[in-house]
Amino acid sequence: MVSLDRFETFRAVVDCGSLSAAADTLGQTRAVVSFNLKRLEAELGVSLLSRSTRRMALTDAGERFYQRCVKVLDEARLAIDDARAEHGELRGSLRVTTTQEYGLRQLVPALQAFARLHPALQVQLSTSSLHADLIGERFDVAIRRGRLEDSTHHAVQLASFEVLAVASPACLAALGEPPPTDLESLERLQNLGHSRLADSLPWQVRAPDGALRSYRGPRHPMLLADNAAALRAFALDGLGIAVLPDWLVQADLRCGALQRLLADHGFPLQGVHAVYPPTRHLPSKVRAFIDFLKTRLGHPDAG
């Protein structure tokens, strides 16, 4: 009988695109992955992959087998997951990915509380400024902020947060003019920009008179960064005005290290979403984690 472990190896090789990448994902050596793949082909009596020195591609038989292999593995995981859920205890592993700044500030405390509730479940957190490939990198769920890209993945909104225009007292003192009081002056003076926000701008901001105005970001940013934590550090150092999430700067505002600008303007609320691969049945560990985060992040004092 063909081992499901070899199904898993084959799927990892296809999803990751190479033996080496599959070995890293599976926590095995390249030699072990290669051996299991060859054994699988020998047991099936067909070649699943055509290999050359530069590339690897599915054969026709491999393409058909891959589609069924994915279904078999997903069904097997769900069967195991459902059986374990009967005992009320989550087991196995839960792989989660998010950005570094959100992970450290918001998700790590939540994961600590979730892990205490489910000690038999191994939780693995990966952080990156780039969006991970959930299927190829075998993540169960991603926590993403802001506007979601069009995708075949499923998404659940967990919470929302405000974005605030902020600057340090030293920065404001060095402006040589009054602090900005409208979006036009903010865009002109703001010189710290988030490079990954360009695709989501402009934002419709509600002005004090109730009218909607377009915010397009800084006109000529002196410093650009791909994460909010770096922009916060620049702002604290007096290098400019930044627009940052409230959960990142609340402590700085309380102690006076940063000051809020345009407090009478309403920037659009930003969403926090749990994103997970499409599946007929949501695994109980993912469902439990999402439900936990909806309570925890929707009510920050919970847990």
Side-chain angles (χ1 to χ4, degrees):
M1 182 177 179
V2 179
S3 168
L4 281 181
D5 288 340
R6 295 195 182 112
F7 279 42
E8 192 76 51
T9 298
F10 172 63
R11 180 180 183 179
V13 170
V14 176
D15 289 344
C16 297
S18 72
L19 297 178
S20 297
D24 289 340
T25 297
L26 296 171
Q28 300 173 355
T29 66
R30 188 180 187 281
V32 169
V33 170
S34 179
F35 172 80
N36 283 326
L37 186 58
K38 288 177 181 177
R39 285 295 302 271
L40 177 62
E41 289 179 318
E43 290 166 344
L44 295 175
V46 295
S47 293
L48 299 173
L49 295 163
S50 58
R51 305 167 181 82
S52 69
T53 55
R54 292 190 174 182
R55 63 187 298 271
M56 181 172 57
L58 286 166
T59 64
D60 290 343
E63 179 67 42
R64 292 191 298 271
F65 183 73
Y66 174 76
Q67 300 300 327
R68 295 191 175 186
C69 176
V70 169
K71 293 179 181 178
V72 167
L73 287 172
D74 287 345
E75 289 295 335
R77 286 201 191 96
L78 286 170
I80 294 170
D81 189 59
D82 288 344
R84 287 171 173 168
E86 290 295 322
H87 299 285
E89 187 174 36
L90 300 180
R91 293 182 177 272
S93 64
L94 177 72
R95 287 175 48 78
V96 183
T97 178
T98 192
T99 59
Q100 185 176 42
E101 66 267 24
Y102 193 78
L104 291 174
R105 286 298 183 108
Q106 299 290 88
L107 202 55
V108 164
L111 285 174
Q112 291 169 334
F114 186 73
R116 284 194 291 268
L117 292 174
H118 305 285
L121 179 70
Q122 181 190 65
V123 181
Q124 303 172 23
L125 174 64
S126 175
T127 61
S128 172
S129 61
L130 301 176
H131 282 176
D133 177 358
L134 267 64
I135 295 175
E137 298 180 57
R138 309 173 83 76
F139 284 107
D140 294 298
V141 61
I143 307 303
R144 292 179 178 163
R145 298 176 291 116
R147 189 174 71 180
L148 293 177
E149 300 174 356
D150 290 337
S151 170
T152 58
H153 294 326
H154 295 162
V156 175
Q157 183 162 341
L158 303 173
S160 60
F161 61 91
E162 291 185 271
V163 291
L164 312 175
V166 298
S168 71
C171 171
L172 296 177
L175 283 180
E177 60 180 278
T181 57
D182 55 42
L183 290 177
E184 183 179 5
S185 56
L186 174 67
E187 291 171 330
R188 177 172 52 82
L189 293 171
Q190 182 187 356
N191 54 5
L192 301 178
H194 199 307
S195 59
R196 291 193 293 113
L197 278 184
D199 292 339
S200 67
L201 294 174
W203 288 339
Q204 294 302 303
V205 178
R206 190 165 298 281
D209 62 4
L212 292 176
R213 305 275 192 272
S214 289
Y215 168 75
R216 300 182 181 277
R219 295 177 186 175
H220 305 289
M222 178 181 71
L223 287 169
L224 281 168
D226 67 354
N227 69 83
L231 294 177
R232 170 181 172 268
F234 293 150
L236 287 170
D237 204 34
L239 295 179
I241 297 171
V243 173
L244 296 171
D246 59 3
W247 49 264
L248 187 62
V249 296
Q250 285 171 343
D252 302 318
L253 294 172
R254 283 195 295 267
C255 72
L258 292 175
Q259 295 181 15
R260 183 177 179 181
L261 309 174
L262 274 67
D264 55 355
H265 285 64
F267 285 82
L269 289 176
Q270 304 296 303
V272 180
H273 296 86
V275 180
Y276 54 93
T279 179
R280 279 194 301 164
H281 304 290
L282 187 62
S284 58
K285 62 184 179 181
V286 177
R287 183 170 57 250
F289 183 58
I290 290 174
D291 289 345
F292 176 83
L293 287 184
K294 287 174 72 173
T295 300
R296 176 89 182 198
L297 299 179
H299 305 280
D301 296 330

